[in-house]
């Protein structure tokens, strides 16, 4: 069975600094998608970044980038130039790529605090 | 474009009762997915509906059911409520459904408390 593990329940970063959130997963499938979602306090969850497993190039969205290591089954999120608005709960998620029955699994989340 | 809306935002029920939650997707989106978020279990996928058909289902008991209407609005029903059903229930819509590579847009959630 697929699993997603976020081993850091809470992280802190100084404003303008860089922070990396860890995520590891386990699967026997070769094709899948990985996501990072952000859930700010009392606000809606939004997609931060996504990665297709067949792509070797790491995804990047402005200040957010991932380090995708397929062999190691690792998918970390790097936030550069951290801003106060980055404070949120971050969830790593795995979705199998099948068009029929698929699995959609989330990690337990990492709470990121940004210090002014 | 209006975002995903969920009603009600807060709900208090007692054990044994049933509850129905509603989700209106972004206009034009045909897929609605439901998730349960609890402090203990985290975020768990309940099911996805696409064009009025349940496309996929997570590992939840049959007390959890849903449906989707022709206008893509979706309802989720939980029967015989248990204390452990207390959670934030999120719905998300996407244009073409989760089977493809499509972004989901989440609603604000319905906070259900079971006493």
């Amino acid at each position: 069975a697929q699993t997603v593990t976020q081993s850091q329940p809470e992280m802190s970063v100084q404003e303008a600094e860089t922070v990396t959130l860890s995520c590891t997963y386990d699967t026997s499938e070769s094709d899948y998608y990985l996501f990072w979602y952000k859930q700010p306090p009392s606000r809606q969850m939004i997609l931060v970044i996504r990665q297709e497993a067949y792509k070797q190039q790491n995804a990047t969205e402005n200040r957010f980038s991932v380090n995708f290591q397929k062999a190691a089954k690792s998918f970390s999120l790097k936030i550069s130039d951290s801003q106060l608005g980055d404070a949120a709960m971050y969830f790593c998620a795995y979705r199998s790529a099948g068009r029929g029955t698929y699995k959609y699994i989330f990690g337990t989340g990492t709470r990121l605090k940004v210090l002014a | 474009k209006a975002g995903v809306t969920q009603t009600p935002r807060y709900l208090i029920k007692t054990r044994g009762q049933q509850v129905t939650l509603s989700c209106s997707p972004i206009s034009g989106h045909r897929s609605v997915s439901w998730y349960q978020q609890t402090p203990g279990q985290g975020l768990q996928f309940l099911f996805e509906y696409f064009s009025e058909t349940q496309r996929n289902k997570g590992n939840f008991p049959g007390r959890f059911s849903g449906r989707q209407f022709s206008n893509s609005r979706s309802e989720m029903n939980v029967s015989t409520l248990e204390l452990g059903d207390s959670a934030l229930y999120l719905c998300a819509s996407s244009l073409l459904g989760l089977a493809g590579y499509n972004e989901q847009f989440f609603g604000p959630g319905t906070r259900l408390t079971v006493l």
Side-chain angles (χ1 to χ4, degrees):
Chain A
Q2 296 89 346
T3 58
V4 176
T5 302
Q6 292 180 250
S7 58
Q8 306 152 316
E10 192 170 290
M11 295 276 289
S12 295
V13 63
Q14 207 69 34
E15 201 176 1
E17 297 293 307
T18 296
V19 64
T20 299
L21 309 185
S22 301
C23 173
T24 58
Y25 59 95
D26 190 26
T27 183
S28 58
E29 298 174 333
S30 58
D31 196 16
Y32 48 87
Y33 304 114
L34 296 165
F35 306 84
W36 278 99
Y37 286 95
K38 171 185 177 182
Q39 188 177 39
S42 303
R43 293 183 64 187
Q44 280 149 254
M45 179 124 45
I46 58 172
L47 176 68
V48 175
I49 201 164
R50 59 189 170 195
Q51 174 83 42
E52 295 129 304
Y54 67 86
K55 288 187 178 179
Q56 293 188 338
Q57 186 174 5
N58 290 325
T60 299
E61 288 287 342
N62 301 314
R63 298 181 296 106
F64 298 86
S65 62
V66 297
N67 183 4
F68 174 48
Q69 302 288 327
K70 191 172 184 180
K73 296 178 183 173
S74 170
F75 183 61
S76 60
L77 174 70
K78 185 172 85 171
I79 306 173
S80 304
D81 186 25
S82 296
Q83 301 174 359
L84 294 177
D86 295 334
M89 198 75 171
Y90 286 82
F91 292 95
C92 175
Y94 165 100
R95 176 161 60 83
S96 53
R99 289 193 169 268
T101 302
Y102 57 84
K103 296 288 186 184
Y104 205 152
I105 301 165
F106 290 79
T108 50
T110 295
R111 185 173 302 282
L112 179 66
K113 295 183 177 180
V114 181
L115 309 173
Chain B
K1 243 184 200 180
V4 177
T5 58
Q6 292 187 246
T7 57
R9 293 293 310 278
Y10 301 91
L11 207 48
I12 299 176
K13 292 285 187 179
T14 56
R15 277 182 299 174
Q17 287 187 309
Q18 76 165 20
V19 67
T20 299
L21 313 181
S22 180
C23 173
S24 293
I26 291 172
S27 177
H29 284 194
R30 296 166 63 189
S31 165
V32 173
S33 299
W34 288 90
Y35 301 86
Q36 182 195 63
Q37 186 175 15
T38 61
Q41 299 294 322
L43 198 58
Q44 294 181 284
F45 170 72
L46 276 156
F47 31 62
E48 181 200 5
Y49 283 86
F50 184 85
S51 293
E52 302 179 65
T53 301
Q54 187 180 87
R55 186 175 262 188
N56 204 13
K57 190 176 187 300
N59 191 25
F60 276 82
R63 300 186 297 108
F64 291 82
S65 63
R67 59 178 175 169
Q68 187 180 34
F69 302 95
S70 58
N71 62 358
S72 293
R73 189 178 70 85
S74 177
E75 288 182 348
M76 190 192 89
N77 185 76
V78 187
S79 63
T80 319
L81 284 166
E82 300 177 359
L83 295 179
D85 297 333
S86 294
L88 180 67
Y89 289 88
L90 298 172
C91 90
S93 77
S94 66
L95 187 60
L96 297 176
L98 294 181
Y101 191 59
N102 295 285
E103 182 174 355
Q104 295 184 90
F105 296 84
F106 284 82
T110 293
R111 171 81 56 191
L112 171 65
T113 302
V114 182
L115 303 177

